[in-house]
Amino acid sequence: FDRVRLGVQSRALAGKRADVVAKVAPELPVILGDGYRPAFLSYSHGHPMTGGYRHDALASAGYLLDGGRLGDARTRAEVRQWWRERSGSRPRSGRPAVRLARATRRALLRR
């Protein structure tokens, strides 16, 4: 095996993976801007894809949030909101009564 050639192919496949994830989750490149591709490539370097591209998008967002790799607080909040909306079994409701019930449940569980 040619080590240089394998490195080139590895980077090309990681770039292709980043492009497909950007198509599956078009909000991430919008939120992260120019930092999307380097952030995703740093994630993909140590994390093989196991559950499809949607799962890969969620896992990369979780990786960015857990590691504190998002410097801007606004960007971090937008990625966190995006991740929360998509990580559950169904979308979170935006209705005021449901949000109030969720906040009340969180407050009561903390005690």
Side-chain angles (χ1 to χ4, degrees):
F1 292 105
D2 183 9
R3 172 172 263 170
V4 174
R5 189 174 184 134
L6 285 176
V8 169
Q9 287 179 342
S10 174
R11 286 188 296 277
L13 288 174
K16 182 178 178 182
R17 183 174 157 195
D19 292 341
V20 174
V21 167
K23 288 179 184 177
V24 170
E27 301 87 1
L28 278 180
V30 171
I31 293 170
L32 296 174
D34 292 335
Y36 164 73
R37 194 170 182 90
F40 186 85
L41 292 177
S42 71
Y43 157 76
S44 68
H45 181 69
H47 298 86
M49 190 171 80
T50 57
Y53 290 106
R54 180 180 181 272
H55 183 272
D56 208 23
L58 288 169
S60 67
Y63 170 80
L64 293 174
L65 290 170
D66 288 343
R69 290 166 182 83
L70 299 171
D72 184 15
R74 188 178 134 262
T75 303
R76 190 171 37 254
E78 288 181 27
V79 171
R80 183 180 297 117
Q81 179 183 0
W82 179 88
W83 184 83
R84 283 183 178 167
E85 288 174 354
R86 285 153 184 84
S87 64
S89 60
R90 64 178 185 218
R92 292 170 60 104
S93 176
R95 295 187 337 213
V98 175
R99 289 181 21 224
L100 177 64
R102 190 181 318 127
T104 305
R105 184 172 40 248
R106 270 195 317 259
L108 291 175
L109 290 175
R110 286 184 188 148
R111 291 182 179 195

